[in-house]
Each structure stands twice: as C-alpha cells, then as structure tokens.
C-alpha cells in the first residue's frame, strides 16, 4: 500500500491494518517508519533495521531485563525505539527514560533520538497527536483524548515520575550511576507489578563494583527476578581488522582459539 510519502509492505491493505500489526509487534512500526543517524555521516538518516545483537535480543526480552553490553552494540537505541513506538501506538502508557549524569550532556542525546523517531513518522501514519513539550516530557494524545507520556530524566532527578504509574522504564548506563541514585530509583520509581510493566536496565561495564555489578552477579547466581543478557564486542560486525593488515602467519592464543570456536569468529574479529 502506498500513501503520499511512503510505501507500506504489500501485506497491509490499509493504514489501519498496518497499525494493528504494529501494536502486536512494534518492530513492524519501527522498521518501516523510524529513522536513525548512520554512524558514517555520509549516509545521513537510515531506516532502523535491527543489528545482529538487537535481532538476538528482541524475541528473548522479558518484563525484567538487565543487559551488560560492549560499546556500540546499540541496545540503548533499540529500547528507546521500542518504548517510543509502544507509546505512539497505545494509549495510557507512561514511560520513563533515565540516563547518567550530568544531565546536560547525556539527556539531550536520548531526548533527541526519540524526537528523530517521532518526526520520521509521516502524518498519514501518525496514530496520535504529538506534543513535544520540554526536555523532560513528550505526550501522545489519541482520538479518544487518552494519552501516553514519555519522561526523560538523569540519575540524580528523583522527582520526575513521582506519583505516576510507570509502565515502561529504561535505565541506561546505570553502572555509571552513584550507588545512592541507583538505590533511590529502584526504591521510589520502579513499578512493582511485572504483569503490566517492563523494566530494562542496561550498561557498559565499569569494573567489578557498584550496584549494577552486584545486581548482575545476583542474576548469574540465580537470585534475581531479572533476566540477564550479555552482548560482548564480537556482536558488532564492524569490530574486525581489514584483511590488508592481517598477517597470514598470525598465531592465535588458546583463549582466542576458544573464542573463535565458541562464537563463530574469524581472525579478523580476533586481531
């Protein structure tokens, strides 16, 4: 089906059918409509198609996830996209995105990314009216006047979201949080009922210390309601050496050989 500005996948005979399918699987909405900046600025904005790690995580996600990741795995972008799409498609979803301090450095990155997602949706396919609000709030109003709300906060902003029923919470780079801020968020903001609320905590490692580390160890030991995910550097396909620089007689260590066999890597990944 073709609108004035976009061609929908052929299996959807109407905008209504497309939006119904998107409610069942937000990736339909995300992959068709959302745009994200390519790492190489020459390519500009590109469709948001799952990477290898994102495609692995998507069918495995649960209502309580904690993700330990390497750099550039782009899990944070995926959770931003998922929760934004759900809020645009379904009323009465209150979402909180929490990033690390300082707020003026990190919060705009996530707020602007969500803004790009929203602005990439053509008006014919927009299921709600959007109010961008301020740096900390974005609202989606539906035809029946019901709303979904996105809130943006840094780890030290304990008052944002207070008094609201939160249905989605995404806490990013929480290994960088002060332990007191981490505990305050868990104590006062995180929803308790796992039936209707989804929480994702994800971060790069910051050493064998801190609350995020302790929580992940609890998962490893089977003492947590969270499901743990580990995405190491080899999940990113670009992390490999060019053949030109790869010596033909390069010898691998025993550890490198085990990595290759366990994860289907090549010498280009290991080098």
């Amino acid at each position: 089906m073709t609108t004035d500005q976009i061609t929908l996948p052929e299996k959807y005979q109407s905008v209504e059918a497309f939006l119904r399918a998107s409610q069942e699987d937000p990736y339909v909405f995300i992959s068709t409509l959302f745009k994200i900046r390519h790492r190489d600025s020459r390519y500009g904005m590109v469709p948001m198609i799952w990477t290898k790690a994102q495609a692995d995580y998507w069918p495995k996600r649960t209502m309580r996830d904690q993700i330990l990741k390497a750099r550039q795995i782009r899990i944070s972008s995926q959770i931003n996209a998922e929760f934004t799409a759900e809020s645009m498609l379904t009323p009465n979803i209150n979402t909180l995105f929490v990033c690390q301090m300082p707020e003026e450095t990190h919060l705009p990155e996530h707020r602007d990314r969500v803004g790009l997602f929203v602005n990439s949706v053509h008006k014919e396919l927009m299921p709600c009216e959007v109010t961008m609000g301020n740096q900390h709030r974005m609202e989606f109003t539906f035809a029946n006047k019901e709303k979904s709300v996105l809130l943006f906060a840094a780890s030290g902003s304990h008052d944002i979201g207070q008094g609201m029923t939160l249905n989605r919470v995404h806490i990013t780079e929480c290994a960088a949080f002060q332990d007191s801020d981490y505990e305050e968020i868990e104590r006062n903001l995180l929803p308790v009922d796992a039936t209707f609320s989804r929480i994702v905590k994800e971060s790069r490692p910051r050493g064998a210390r801190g609350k995020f580390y302790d929580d992940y160890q609890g998962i490893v030991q089977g003492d947590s309601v969270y499901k743990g995910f580990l995405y190491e550097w080899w999940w990113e396909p670009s992390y490999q050496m060019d053949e030109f620089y790869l010596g033909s007689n390069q010898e691998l260590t025993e550890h490198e050989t085990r990595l290759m066999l366990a994860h289907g890597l090549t010498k280009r990944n290991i080098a």
Side-chain angles (χ1 to χ4, degrees):
M1 177 192 171
T2 303
T3 70
D4 288 346
Q5 297 292 327
I6 191 168
T7 299
L8 296 178
E10 291 184 3
K11 60 182 175 181
Y12 305 115
Q13 300 300 313
S14 66
V15 170
E16 291 73 19
F18 169 74
L19 293 177
R20 282 196 301 270
S22 296
Q23 284 181 314
E24 295 176 6
D25 181 4
Y27 185 56
V28 173
F29 195 79
I30 293 166
S31 60
T32 305
L33 301 177
F34 280 9
K35 297 290 194 303
I36 194 165
R37 287 192 179 95
H38 196 281
R39 289 178 183 172
D40 187 333
S41 60
R42 293 175 299 175
Y43 296 99
M45 302 295 292
V46 296
M48 188 164 188
I49 306 299
W50 286 166
T51 64
K52 180 181 177 182
Q54 290 170 341
D56 179 82
Y57 172 65
W58 187 250
K60 299 176 182 177
R61 68 199 196 283
T62 73
M63 300 303 280
R64 295 288 185 273
D65 291 341
Q66 182 161 338
I67 304 167
L68 185 60
K69 63 181 187 179
R71 291 185 68 253
Q72 301 297 329
I73 297 298
R74 290 175 280 190
I75 291 293
S76 182
S77 299
Q78 181 179 33
I79 308 305
N80 284 164
E82 176 191 354
F83 288 0
T84 301
E86 286 185 320
S87 299
M88 295 177 72
L89 291 162
T90 306
N92 301 312
I93 292 182
N94 295 323
T95 297
L96 174 64
F97 296 114
V98 185
C99 66
Q100 71 199 87
M101 295 286 282
E103 175 179 305
E104 61 272 16
T105 301
H106 297 288
L107 190 145
E109 173 188 350
H110 296 276
R111 174 62 168 73
D112 292 349
R113 180 189 293 149
V114 169
L116 287 174
F117 291 153
V118 173
N119 289 329
S120 61
V121 178
H122 188 262
K123 62 181 180 181
E124 288 188 46
L125 299 172
M126 183 70 74
C128 55
E129 181 180 328
V130 181
T131 303
M132 287 295 187
N134 57 32
Q135 191 78 343
H136 296 280
R137 187 180 181 96
M138 191 181 297
E139 293 185 356
F140 306 112
T141 305
F142 296 81
N144 60 4
K145 303 305 179 182
E146 293 181 322
K147 292 183 178 182
S148 284
V149 177
L150 301 183
L151 300 174
F152 303 84
S155 58
S157 306
H158 302 153
D159 56 332
I160 293 181
Q162 290 278 12
M164 295 182 68
T165 299
L166 295 172
N167 312 105
R168 302 288 185 269
V169 180
H170 173 203
I171 311 175
T172 183
E173 296 301 343
C174 37
F177 290 13
Q178 294 291 327
D179 282 353
S180 58
D181 289 335
Y182 190 100
E183 292 169 348
E184 181 78 14
I185 290 167
E186 290 208 315
R187 183 168 51 248
N188 293 329
L189 288 180
L190 295 192
V192 175
D193 188 350
T195 306
F196 302 106
S197 62
R198 176 158 140 74
I199 301 171
V200 181
K201 299 187 288 186
E202 47 87 6
S203 185
R204 292 171 291 171
R206 299 277 178 143
R209 58 181 175 76
K211 288 293 296 178
F212 182 82
Y213 173 82
D214 293 342
D215 284 354
Y216 200 87
Q217 291 307 302
I219 295 172
V220 172
Q221 296 162 13
D223 186 26
S224 177
V225 298
Y226 282 80
K227 181 177 180 179
F229 295 86
L230 175 62
Y231 291 106
E232 299 184 75
W233 57 267
W234 57 75
W235 282 91
E236 171 47 49
S238 66
Y239 286 168
Q240 52 185 308
M241 182 174 284
D242 192 285
E243 293 279 4
F244 178 82
Y245 299 102
L246 190 63
S248 58
N249 60 346
Q250 179 190 14
E251 293 186 7
L252 300 177
T253 66
E254 182 179 344
H255 173 67
E256 290 171 336
T257 301
R258 286 201 304 269
L259 281 180
M260 287 181 63
L261 293 174
H263 301 287
L265 307 180
T266 68
K267 283 189 175 182
R268 292 180 64 192
N269 297 118
I270 296 295

